[in-house]
């Protein structure tokens, strides 16, 4: 019985090592994407950064089979600002500007894209 337990333990350790290697690879890819994204963001205006975030969220929702034009932002404006390298006030101002131009509607944390082509062109 001891041999079986050791065998099971060894297999478990091998499985943990495989999982750890898998997560390490995923993290390396995320870091590489993140550094590329931060370099790209540095050359974009605040409006372009927010538009890129909204378009990315729209694409992600569409990939899951949901609407591309209506989705919830599950993060605060402050968190959006931190992610994009902007102040909360700037995020608010950009969203209000997009709203005034008829590009989006904002209901609390829900976003409705009214003019997708205009959002893309930002």
């Amino acid at each position: 019985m001891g041999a079986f337990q050791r065998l099971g333990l060894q297999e478990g350790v091998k499985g943990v090592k495989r999982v750890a290697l898998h997560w390490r690879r995923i993290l390396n890819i995320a870091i590489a994407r993140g550094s590329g994204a931060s370099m790209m963001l540095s050359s974009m205006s605040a409006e372009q950064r927010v538009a890129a975030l909204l378009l990315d969220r729209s694409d992600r929702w569409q990939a899951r089979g949901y609407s591309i034009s209506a989705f919830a932002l599950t993060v605060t404006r402050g968190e959006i600002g931190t992610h994009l390298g902007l102040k909360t006030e700037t995020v608010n101002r950009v969203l209000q500007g997009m709203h005034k131009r008829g590009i989006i509607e904002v209901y609390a944390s829900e976003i409705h894209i009214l003019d997708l082509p205009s959002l893309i062109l930002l």
Side-chain angles (χ1 to χ4, degrees), residues 6-120:
R6 279 192 298 254
L7 181 61
L9 182 60
Q10 287 175 348
E11 289 300 316
V13 169
K14 287 179 186 177
V16 169
K17 287 181 181 179
R18 278 193 298 264
V19 169
L21 179 61
H22 176 72
W23 278 108
R24 193 172 304 130
R25 287 180 185 151
I26 289 173
L27 289 173
N28 285 336
I29 290 168
I31 289 168
R33 285 183 183 161
S35 64
S38 64
M39 290 177 67
M40 181 181 70
L41 285 175
S42 67
S43 66
M44 298 170 75
S45 70
E47 189 173 53
Q48 290 170 327
R49 293 177 193 196
V50 173
L53 177 104
L54 294 177
L55 290 169
D56 178 65
R57 179 63 69 167
S58 175
D59 288 343
R60 289 174 186 254
W61 278 89
Q62 182 183 27
R64 292 182 178 134
Y66 296 108
S67 171
I68 64 170
S69 61
F71 49 86
L73 285 177
T74 56
V75 294
T76 66
R77 304 256 168 84
E79 291 169 328
I80 292 170
T82 299
H83 178 70
L84 298 177
L86 302 170
K87 294 188 181 284
T88 305
E89 297 81 16
T90 305
V91 173
N92 287 331
R93 190 172 17 88
V94 168
L95 290 173
Q96 288 171 359
M98 290 178 179
H99 171 74
K100 286 179 184 176
R101 293 194 325 234
I103 297 172
I104 64 169
E105 282 284 337
V106 181
Y107 304 102
S109 65
E110 194 169 313
I111 301 288
H112 292 266
I113 299 174
L114 303 175
D115 189 355
L116 187 60
S118 292
L119 187 63
I120 292 169

